[in-house]
Coordinates of all heavy atoms in Angstrom, one line a residue:
M122 N 0.8 -1.2 0.0 CA 0.0 0.0 0.0 C 0.9 1.3 0.0 O 0.6 2.2 -0.7 CB -0.9 0.0 1.2 CG -1.9 1.1 1.2 SD -3.1 0.8 -0.2 CE -4.3 1.9 0.2
L123 N 1.9 1.3 0.8 CA 2.8 2.4 0.8 C 3.4 2.7 -0.5 O 3.5 3.8 -0.9 CB 3.9 2.2 1.9 CG 4.9 3.4 2.1 CD1 4.2 4.6 2.5 CD2 5.9 3.0 3.1
R124 N 3.8 1.7 -1.2 CA 4.4 1.8 -2.5 C 3.4 2.5 -3.5 O 3.8 3.3 -4.3 CB 4.9 0.4 -3.0 CG 5.6 0.5 -4.3 CD 6.1 -0.9 -4.7 NE 6.7 -0.8 -6.0 CZ 7.1 -1.9 -6.6 NH1 6.9 -3.1 -6.1 NH2 7.7 -1.8 -7.8
L125 N 2.2 2.1 -3.5 CA 1.1 2.6 -4.3 C 1.0 4.1 -4.0 O 0.9 4.9 -4.9 CB -0.2 1.9 -4.2 CG -1.4 2.4 -4.9 CD1 -1.1 2.4 -6.4 CD2 -2.6 1.7 -4.6
Q126 N 0.9 4.5 -2.8 CA 0.7 5.9 -2.4 C 1.9 6.8 -2.8 O 1.7 7.9 -3.3 CB 0.5 6.0 -0.9 CG -0.8 5.5 -0.4 CD -1.0 5.6 1.1 OE1 0.0 5.7 1.8 NE2 -2.2 5.4 1.6
T127 N 3.1 6.2 -2.7 CA 4.3 7.0 -3.1 C 4.3 7.2 -4.6 O 4.6 8.3 -5.0 CB 5.5 6.2 -2.7 OG1 5.5 6.0 -1.3 CG2 6.8 7.0 -3.0
S128 N 3.9 6.2 -5.4 CA 3.9 6.4 -6.8 C 2.8 7.4 -7.2 O 3.0 8.1 -8.2 CB 3.7 5.1 -7.5 OG 2.5 4.5 -7.2
L129 N 1.7 7.4 -6.6 CA 0.6 8.3 -6.9 C 1.0 9.7 -6.6 O 0.7 10.7 -7.3 CB -0.7 8.0 -6.1 CG -1.5 6.8 -6.6 CD1 -2.7 6.5 -5.7 CD2 -2.0 7.0 -8.0
N130 N 1.7 9.9 -5.4 CA 2.2 11.3 -5.1 C 3.1 11.8 -6.1 O 3.1 13.0 -6.4 CB 2.8 11.3 -3.7 CG 1.7 11.2 -2.6 OD1 0.6 11.4 -2.8 ND2 2.1 10.8 -1.4
R131 N 4.0 11.0 -6.7 CA 5.0 11.5 -7.7 C 4.3 11.9 -8.9 O 4.7 12.8 -9.6 CB 6.0 10.4 -7.9 CG 7.1 10.4 -7.0 CD 8.2 9.5 -7.5 NE 8.5 8.6 -6.4 CZ 8.7 7.3 -6.6 NH1 8.6 6.8 -7.8 NH2 8.9 6.5 -5.6
R132 N 3.2 11.2 -9.3 CA 2.5 11.5 -10.5 C 1.3 12.4 -10.3 O 0.6 12.7 -11.2 CB 2.0 10.2 -11.1 CG 3.1 9.4 -11.7 CD 2.5 8.2 -12.4 NE 2.4 7.1 -11.4 CZ 1.8 6.0 -11.6 NH1 1.3 5.7 -12.8 NH2 1.7 5.1 -10.7
G133 N 1.1 12.9 -9.1 CA 0.0 13.8 -8.8 C 0.2 15.2 -9.3 O 1.1 15.5 -10.1
F134 N -0.6 16.1 -8.8 CA -0.6 17.5 -9.2 C -0.2 18.3 -8.0 O -0.9 18.5 -7.1 CB -2.0 17.9 -9.7 CG -2.5 17.2 -10.9 CD1 -3.1 16.0 -10.8 CD2 -2.2 17.7 -12.2 CE1 -3.6 15.3 -11.9 CE2 -2.6 17.0 -13.3 CZ -3.3 15.8 -13.2
P135 N 1.1 18.8 -8.1 CA 1.6 19.6 -6.9 C 1.1 21.0 -6.9 O 0.9 21.6 -8.0 CB 3.1 19.6 -7.1 CG 3.3 19.4 -8.6 CD 2.1 18.6 -9.1
C136 N 0.9 21.6 -5.7 CA 0.5 23.0 -5.6 C 1.7 23.8 -5.8 O 2.8 23.5 -5.3 CB 0.0 23.2 -4.1 SG -0.4 24.9 -3.8
P137 N 1.6 24.9 -6.6 CA 2.8 25.7 -6.8 C 3.3 26.5 -5.6 O 4.4 27.0 -5.6 CB 2.4 26.6 -8.0 CG 0.9 26.5 -8.0 CD 0.5 25.3 -7.4
R138 N 2.4 26.7 -4.6 CA 2.7 27.5 -3.4 C 3.2 26.7 -2.2 O 3.8 27.2 -1.3 CB 1.5 28.4 -3.0 CG 1.3 29.4 -4.1 CD 0.3 30.4 -3.6 NE 0.7 31.2 -2.5 CZ 0.0 32.0 -1.8 NH1 -1.2 32.3 -2.2 NH2 0.5 32.7 -0.8
C139 N 2.7 25.4 -2.1 CA 3.1 24.6 -0.9 C 3.5 23.2 -1.3 O 3.6 22.9 -2.5 CB 1.9 24.6 0.1 SG 0.5 23.7 -0.5
A140 N 3.7 22.4 -0.4 CA 4.2 21.1 -0.7 C 3.1 20.0 -0.9 O 3.5 18.9 -1.2 CB 5.1 20.6 0.4
R141 N 1.9 20.4 -0.9 CA 0.8 19.4 -1.1 C 0.7 18.9 -2.5 O 0.9 19.7 -3.5 CB -0.5 20.0 -0.6 CG -0.5 20.2 0.9 CD -1.9 20.5 1.4 NE -2.8 19.3 1.2 CZ -4.1 19.4 1.4 NH1 -4.6 20.4 2.0 NH2 -4.9 18.3 1.2
T142 N 0.3 17.7 -2.7 CA 0.1 17.0 -4.0 C -1.3 16.4 -4.0 O -1.7 15.9 -3.0 CB 1.2 15.9 -4.2 OG1 2.5 16.5 -4.0 CG2 1.1 15.3 -5.6
F143 N -1.9 16.5 -5.2 CA -3.3 16.1 -5.3 C -3.4 15.1 -6.4 O -2.7 15.1 -7.4 CB -4.2 17.3 -5.6 CG -4.2 18.3 -4.5 CD1 -3.2 19.3 -4.4 CD2 -5.1 18.2 -3.4 CE1 -3.1 20.2 -3.4 CE2 -5.0 19.1 -2.4 CZ -4.0 20.1 -2.3
H144 N -4.4 14.2 -6.3 CA -4.7 13.2 -7.3 C -5.2 13.8 -8.6 O -5.0 13.2 -9.7 CB -5.6 12.1 -6.8 CG -5.0 11.4 -5.6 ND1 -4.0 10.4 -5.8 CD2 -5.3 11.4 -4.3 CE1 -3.7 9.9 -4.6 NE2 -4.5 10.5 -3.7
T145 N -6.0 14.9 -8.5 CA -6.6 15.4 -9.7 C -6.2 16.9 -9.9 O -5.9 17.6 -8.9 CB -8.2 15.4 -9.6 OG1 -8.6 16.2 -8.5 CG2 -8.6 13.9 -9.5
S146 N -6.3 17.4 -11.1 CA -5.9 18.8 -11.3 C -7.0 19.7 -10.7 O -6.8 20.8 -10.2 CB -5.8 19.1 -12.8 OG -7.0 18.9 -13.5
G147 N -8.3 19.2 -10.7 CA -9.4 20.0 -10.1 C -9.2 20.1 -8.6 O -9.5 21.2 -8.0
G148 N -8.7 19.1 -7.9 CA -8.5 19.2 -6.5 C -7.4 20.2 -6.2 O -7.5 20.9 -5.2
M149 N -6.3 20.2 -7.0 CA -5.2 21.1 -6.8 C -5.7 22.5 -7.1 O -5.4 23.5 -6.3 CB -4.1 20.8 -7.7 CG -2.8 21.5 -7.4 SD -2.7 23.2 -8.0 CE -2.8 23.0 -9.8
S150 N -6.5 22.7 -8.1 CA -7.1 24.1 -8.4 C -7.9 24.6 -7.3 O -7.8 25.8 -6.9 CB -7.9 24.0 -9.7 OG -7.1 23.7 -10.8
R151 N -8.8 23.8 -6.8 CA -9.7 24.2 -5.7 C -8.8 24.6 -4.4 O -9.0 25.6 -3.8 CB -10.6 23.1 -5.3 CG -11.6 23.5 -4.2 CD -12.3 22.4 -3.6 NE -11.4 21.4 -3.1 CZ -10.7 21.5 -1.9 NH1 -10.8 22.6 -1.2 NH2 -9.9 20.5 -1.5
H152 N -7.8 23.7 -4.1 CA -6.9 24.0 -3.0 C -6.2 25.3 -3.2 O -6.2 26.2 -2.3 CB -5.9 22.9 -2.9 CG -4.7 23.2 -2.1 ND1 -4.7 23.3 -0.7 CD2 -3.5 23.6 -2.5 CE1 -3.5 23.7 -0.3 NE2 -2.7 23.9 -1.4
Y153 N -5.7 25.5 -4.4 CA -4.9 26.8 -4.7 C -5.8 28.0 -4.6 O -5.4 29.0 -4.0 CB -4.3 26.7 -6.1 CG -3.4 27.8 -6.4 CD1 -2.1 27.9 -5.8 CD2 -3.8 28.8 -7.2 CE1 -1.2 28.9 -6.1 CE2 -2.9 29.9 -7.5 CZ -1.7 29.9 -7.0 OH -0.8 31.0 -7.2
R154 N -7.0 27.9 -5.1 CA -7.9 29.1 -5.1 C -8.5 29.4 -3.7 O -8.6 30.5 -3.4 CB -9.1 28.8 -6.0 CG -9.1 29.3 -7.4 CD -10.4 29.2 -8.1 NE -11.5 28.5 -7.5 CZ -11.8 27.2 -7.7 NH1 -11.1 26.5 -8.6 NH2 -12.7 26.6 -7.1
L155 N -8.8 28.3 -3.0 CA -9.6 28.6 -1.8 C -8.7 28.4 -0.5 O -9.0 29.0 0.5 CB -10.8 27.6 -1.7 CG -11.7 27.7 -2.8 CD1 -12.8 26.7 -2.7 CD2 -12.4 29.1 -2.9
E156 N -7.8 27.5 -0.5 CA -7.1 27.2 0.8 C -5.7 27.7 0.9 O -5.2 28.1 1.9 CB -7.0 25.7 0.9 CG -8.3 25.0 1.1 CD -8.2 23.5 1.2 OE1 -7.1 23.0 1.6 OE2 -9.2 22.8 0.9
C157 N -5.0 27.8 -0.2 CA -3.5 28.1 -0.2 C -3.3 29.6 -0.4 O -2.7 30.1 -1.3 CB -2.8 27.4 -1.3 SG -1.0 27.3 -1.0
V158 N -4.0 30.4 0.5 CA -3.8 31.8 0.5 C -3.3 32.2 1.9 O -3.3 31.5 2.8 CB -5.2 32.5 0.3 CG1 -5.7 32.3 -1.1 CG2 -6.2 32.1 1.3
D159 N -2.8 33.4 1.9 CA -2.1 33.9 3.2 C -3.1 34.0 4.3 O -2.8 33.6 5.4 CB -1.4 35.2 2.9 CG -0.3 35.1 1.9 OD1 0.3 34.0 1.8 OD2 0.0 36.1 1.2
L160 N -4.2 34.6 4.1 CA -5.2 34.8 5.2 C -6.5 34.2 4.8 O -6.9 34.1 3.7 CB -5.4 36.3 5.4 CG -4.3 37.1 6.0 CD1 -4.6 38.6 6.0 CD2 -3.9 36.6 7.3
P161 N -7.3 33.7 5.8 CA -8.6 33.2 5.6 C -9.5 34.2 5.0 O -9.4 35.4 5.3 CB -9.1 32.7 7.0 CG -7.9 32.5 7.8 CD -6.9 33.5 7.2
R162 N -10.4 33.8 4.1 CA -11.2 34.8 3.3 C -12.5 35.2 4.0 O -13.1 36.2 3.7 CB -11.6 34.2 2.0 CG -10.4 33.9 1.1 CD -10.7 33.4 -0.2 NE -11.9 32.7 -0.4 CZ -12.7 32.6 -1.5 NH1 -12.3 33.3 -2.5 NH2 -13.7 31.9 -1.5
F163 N -13.0 34.4 5.0 CA -14.3 34.6 5.6 C -14.2 34.9 7.1 O -13.4 34.3 7.7 CB -15.2 33.4 5.4 CG -15.3 33.0 3.9 CD1 -14.6 31.9 3.4 CD2 -16.1 33.8 3.0 CE1 -14.7 31.6 2.1 CE2 -16.1 33.4 1.7 CZ -15.4 32.4 1.2
K164 N -15.0 35.9 7.5 CA -14.9 36.3 8.9 C -16.3 36.3 9.6 O -17.3 36.6 9.0 CB -14.3 37.8 8.9 CG -14.1 38.4 10.3 CD -13.7 39.8 10.2 CE -13.6 40.4 11.5 NZ -14.7 40.3 12.4
C165 N -16.3 36.0 10.9 CA -17.5 36.1 11.7 C -17.8 37.6 11.9 O -16.9 38.4 12.2 CB -17.3 35.4 13.0 SG -18.7 35.7 14.2
P166 N -19.1 38.0 11.6 CA -19.4 39.4 11.8 C -19.5 39.9 13.3 O -19.6 41.0 13.6 CB -20.7 39.6 11.1 CG -21.3 38.2 11.2 CD -20.2 37.3 11.1
H167 N -19.5 38.9 14.2 CA -19.7 39.2 15.6 C -18.4 39.2 16.4 O -18.4 39.6 17.5 CB -20.7 38.2 16.2 CG -21.9 38.1 15.4 ND1 -22.8 39.1 15.3 CD2 -22.4 37.0 14.6 CE1 -23.8 38.7 14.5 NE2 -23.6 37.5 14.1
C168 N -17.3 38.6 15.8 CA -16.0 38.6 16.6 C -14.9 38.5 15.5 O -15.1 38.7 14.3 CB -16.0 37.4 17.5 SG -15.9 35.8 16.8
D169 N -13.7 38.2 16.0 CA -12.5 38.2 15.1 C -12.2 36.8 14.5 O -11.2 36.7 13.8 CB -11.3 38.7 15.8 CG -11.4 40.2 16.1 OD1 -12.0 40.9 15.3 OD2 -10.8 40.6 17.1
M170 N -13.1 35.9 14.6 CA -12.9 34.5 14.1 C -12.8 34.6 12.6 O -13.7 35.2 12.0 CB -14.0 33.6 14.6 CG -13.8 32.1 14.2 SD -14.6 31.8 12.6 CE -14.4 30.1 12.5
R171 N -11.8 33.9 12.0 CA -11.7 33.9 10.5 C -11.5 32.4 10.1 O -11.0 31.6 10.9 CB -10.5 34.7 10.0 CG -10.7 36.1 10.2 CD -9.5 36.8 9.8 NE -9.6 38.3 10.0 CZ -8.9 39.2 9.3 NH1 -8.0 38.8 8.5 NH2 -9.2 40.4 9.5
S172 N -12.0 32.1 8.9 CA -11.8 30.8 8.4 C -11.7 30.8 6.8 O -12.1 31.8 6.2 CB -13.0 29.9 8.7 OG -12.9 28.6 8.2
K173 N -11.1 29.7 6.3 CA -11.1 29.6 4.8 C -12.4 29.0 4.3 O -12.5 28.9 3.1 CB -9.9 28.6 4.5 CG -8.6 29.2 4.9 CD -7.4 28.3 4.6 CE -6.1 28.9 5.0 NZ -5.0 28.0 4.7
Y174 N -13.3 28.6 5.2 CA -14.5 27.9 4.7 C -15.7 28.6 5.3 O -15.7 28.9 6.5 CB -14.5 26.4 5.2 CG -13.3 25.7 4.7 CD1 -12.2 25.4 5.5 CD2 -13.2 25.2 3.4 CE1 -11.1 24.8 5.0 CE2 -12.1 24.6 2.9 CZ -11.1 24.3 3.7 OH -10.0 23.7 3.3
T175 N -16.7 28.8 4.5 CA -18.0 29.4 5.0 C -18.7 28.5 6.0 O -19.2 29.0 7.0 CB -18.9 29.8 3.9 OG1 -19.2 28.6 3.2 CG2 -18.4 30.8 3.0
Q176 N -18.6 27.2 5.8 CA -19.2 26.3 6.7 C -18.7 26.4 8.1 O -19.4 26.3 9.1 CB -19.0 24.8 6.2 CG -19.5 24.5 4.9 CD -18.4 24.7 3.8 OE1 -17.6 25.5 3.9 NE2 -18.5 23.8 2.8
A177 N -17.4 26.6 8.2 CA -16.8 26.8 9.6 C -17.3 28.0 10.3 O -17.5 28.0 11.5 CB -15.2 26.8 9.4
V178 N -17.5 29.1 9.5 CA -18.0 30.3 10.1 C -19.4 30.1 10.5 O -19.8 30.5 11.7 CB -17.9 31.5 9.1 CG1 -18.5 32.8 9.7 CG2 -16.4 31.8 8.8
Y179 N -20.2 29.5 9.7 CA -21.6 29.2 10.1 C -21.7 28.3 11.4 O -22.4 28.6 12.3 CB -22.4 28.5 9.0 CG -22.8 29.4 7.8 CD1 -22.6 29.0 6.5 CD2 -23.3 30.6 8.0 CE1 -22.9 29.8 5.4 CE2 -23.7 31.5 7.0 CZ -23.5 31.0 5.7 OH -23.8 31.8 4.6
R180 N -20.9 27.3 11.4 CA -20.8 26.4 12.6 C -20.4 27.2 13.8 O -21.0 27.1 14.9 CB -19.9 25.3 12.3 CG -19.9 24.2 13.4 CD -18.9 23.1 13.0 NE -17.8 23.6 12.2 CZ -17.2 23.0 11.2 NH1 -17.6 21.9 10.8 NH2 -16.3 23.6 10.5
H181 N -19.4 28.1 13.7 CA -18.9 28.9 14.8 C -20.0 29.8 15.3 O -20.3 29.9 16.5 CB -17.7 29.8 14.3 CG -17.4 30.9 15.2 ND1 -16.7 30.8 16.4 CD2 -17.8 32.3 15.0 CE1 -16.6 32.0 16.9 NE2 -17.2 32.9 16.1
I182 N -20.8 30.5 14.4 CA -21.9 31.4 14.8 C -22.9 30.6 15.5 O -23.4 31.1 16.6 CB -22.4 32.2 13.6 CG1 -21.4 33.1 13.0 CG2 -23.7 32.9 14.0 CD1 -21.7 33.7 11.7
R183 N -23.3 29.5 15.0 CA -24.3 28.7 15.7 C -23.9 28.2 17.1 O -24.7 28.2 18.0 CB -24.7 27.4 14.9 CG -25.5 27.7 13.6 CD -25.9 26.4 12.9 NE -26.5 26.7 11.7 CZ -26.0 26.5 10.5 NH1 -24.8 25.9 10.4 NH2 -26.6 26.8 9.4
A184 N -22.6 28.0 17.3 CA -22.1 27.5 18.6 C -21.8 28.6 19.5 O -22.1 28.5 20.7 CB -20.9 26.6 18.4
K185 N -21.3 29.7 19.1 CA -20.8 30.8 19.9 C -21.7 32.0 20.0 O -21.6 32.7 21.0 CB -19.4 31.2 19.5 CG -18.3 30.2 19.4 CD -18.0 29.6 20.8 CE -16.9 28.6 20.7 NZ -16.6 28.0 22.0
H186 N -22.4 32.3 19.0 CA -23.3 33.5 19.0 C -24.7 33.1 18.7 O -25.3 33.5 17.7 CB -22.8 34.4 17.9 CG -21.4 34.8 17.9 ND1 -20.8 35.5 18.9 CD2 -20.3 34.4 17.1 CE1 -19.5 35.7 18.7 NE2 -19.2 35.0 17.6
R187 N -25.3 32.3 19.6 CA -26.7 31.9 19.4 C -27.6 33.1 19.4 O -27.3 34.1 20.0 CB -27.1 31.0 20.6 CG -26.3 29.7 20.6 CD -26.6 28.9 21.9 NE -25.6 27.9 22.1 CZ -25.9 26.6 22.0 NH1 -27.1 26.2 21.7 NH2 -24.9 25.7 22.2
N188 N -28.7 33.0 18.6 CA -29.7 34.0 18.5 C -29.1 35.3 17.8 O -29.7 36.3 17.9 CB -30.3 34.4 19.8 CG -31.0 33.3 20.5 OD1 -31.6 32.4 19.8 ND2 -30.8 33.2 21.8
M189 N -28.0 35.1 17.1 CA -27.5 36.2 16.3 C -27.7 35.9 14.8 O -28.0 34.8 14.4 CB -26.0 36.4 16.5 CG -25.6 36.6 18.0 SD -26.1 38.3 18.5 CE -24.5 39.1 18.4
E190 N -27.6 37.0 14.0 CA -27.8 36.8 12.5 C -26.8 35.8 12.0 O -25.6 35.9 12.2 CB -27.7 38.1 11.9 CG -28.0 38.1 10.4 CD -27.9 39.5 9.8 OE1 -27.6 40.5 10.5 OE2 -28.1 39.6 8.5
L191 N -27.2 34.9 11.1 CA -26.4 33.9 10.6 C -25.9 34.3 9.2 O -26.5 34.1 8.2 CB -27.2 32.5 10.5 CG -26.4 31.3 10.1 CD1 -25.3 31.0 11.1 CD2 -27.3 30.1 10.0
R192 N -24.8 35.0 9.2 CA -24.1 35.4 7.9 C -22.6 35.5 8.2 O -22.2 35.4 9.3 CB -24.7 36.8 7.5 CG -24.4 37.9 8.4 CD -25.0 39.2 7.9 NE -24.7 40.3 8.9 CZ -23.6 41.0 8.8 NH1 -22.7 40.8 7.9 NH2 -23.4 42.0 9.7
F193 N -21.9 35.7 7.1 CA -20.4 35.9 7.2 C -20.0 37.1 6.4 O -20.7 37.6 5.6 CB -19.7 34.6 6.8 CG -19.9 34.3 5.3 CD1 -19.0 34.8 4.4 CD2 -20.9 33.5 4.9 CE1 -19.2 34.6 3.0 CE2 -21.1 33.2 3.5 CZ -20.2 33.8 2.6
V194 N -18.8 37.5 6.6 CA -18.2 38.6 5.9 C -17.1 38.0 5.0 O -16.2 37.4 5.5 CB -17.6 39.7 6.9 CG1 -16.9 40.8 6.1 CG2 -18.7 40.2 7.8
K195 N -17.2 38.3 3.7 CA -16.1 37.9 2.8 C -15.1 39.0 2.7 O -15.4 40.2 2.4 CB -16.7 37.6 1.4 CG -15.8 37.0 0.4 CD -16.4 36.7 -0.9 CE -15.4 36.1 -1.8 NZ -16.0 35.7 -3.1
L196 N -13.9 38.7 3.1 CA -12.8 39.7 3.1 C -12.3 40.1 1.8 O -11.8 41.2 1.6 CB -11.7 39.2 4.1 CG -12.2 39.0 5.5 CD1 -11.0 38.4 6.3 CD2 -12.6 40.3 6.1
Y197 N -12.2 39.2 0.9 CA -11.7 39.5 -0.5 C -12.2 38.5 -1.5 O -12.7 37.5 -1.2 CB -10.2 39.7 -0.6 CG -9.4 38.5 0.0 CD1 -9.0 37.5 -0.9 CD2 -9.0 38.5 1.3 CE1 -8.3 36.5 -0.4 CE2 -8.3 37.4 1.8 CZ -7.9 36.4 0.9 OH -7.2 35.4 1.4

């Protein structure tokens, strides 16, 4: 199994900014566009919590800011 994973990683699609390798070009593109940025793109409107994923901000608001408006701020 280890031999198979190693050969897949060599033939995968590497991210130009970090050391991660992906099985598909679409996976690498999504990672590069959404995850491999300097700062998280989404922010909680009620505090300083930031995330790269909207789902994480929604989950944070539901857990930490009950009865508050359920939305997020897109930073860029």
